[in-house]
Amino acid sequence: MNGFDVTFRDDQDWVDFGRSYVNSEAFKALFRDGMTLVEETAAYLDGEGRDESRLVSRDATLSYAAESMRLTTLLMQIASWLLVQRAVAEGEMTPAEALQEKHRVKLGTAEPPKQQDFNLLPMRLQQLIVRGRRLHSRILHLDALIAEDRPTPQPVESPVAAQQGLLRMAFRMSEG
């Protein structure tokens, strides 16, 4: 356990953190913040950022391209996670279906840019990168807490395999 109590008792029933969190005002605020950041970043990269990318030094051109692509990828992962969690909250998807989606769209680790490259970037892009990385960290933490609540599915033996096991035991008994 990581020091956080992810479940609590409520009228003799266990309530899991994930289910209660995705229905909370805190999640709605996180969702709004995340989607706002996605929209802000897209608007910046399509407008002001495009203009600023032409003004950076030759050394910074590659860094600008790499970091803007990295940020875009990070924000698409964040948006996917937020949309899946909202679908769970609205009953459009079960937690089990959300877990399957999680395996398709992974929340990768965000490697920080090299400081010398980061310093060459326009200030607005630097700010968006920092905000994106902070949001990503929060979501990784929440995702871990939610995952702790979901029981790991135990493999279920098929009825055919169970019958085969019984037959093997019966034949061993009759031989001995």
Side-chain angles (χ1 to χ4, degrees), residues 119-153:
N119 292 337
L120 297 174
L121 300 174
M123 186 57 65
R124 182 73 178 123
L125 182 57
Q126 289 180 23
Q127 293 167 342
L128 291 168
I129 290 169
V130 168
R131 286 174 58 201
R133 291 178 52 75
R134 282 187 189 141
L135 182 61
H136 183 256
S137 280
R138 286 175 58 197
I139 287 176
L140 282 175
H141 178 74
L142 289 167
D143 189 59
L145 290 175
I146 290 169
E148 285 179 9
D149 279 354
R150 297 198 177 124
T152 306

Side-chain angles (χ1 to χ4, degrees), residues 27-64:
F27 175 75
K28 289 175 187 168
L30 178 69
F31 185 88
R32 279 190 307 273
D33 291 347
M35 292 312 199
T36 298
L37 182 58
V38 168
E39 290 171 13
E40 274 182 53
T41 302
Y44 169 78
L45 292 174
D46 282 342
E48 181 186 339
R50 187 170 292 182
D51 297 336
E52 287 181 347
S53 72
R54 293 184 194 112
L55 302 175
V56 297
S57 70
R58 198 171 244 184
D59 295 337
T61 303
L62 183 58
S63 294
Y64 183 95

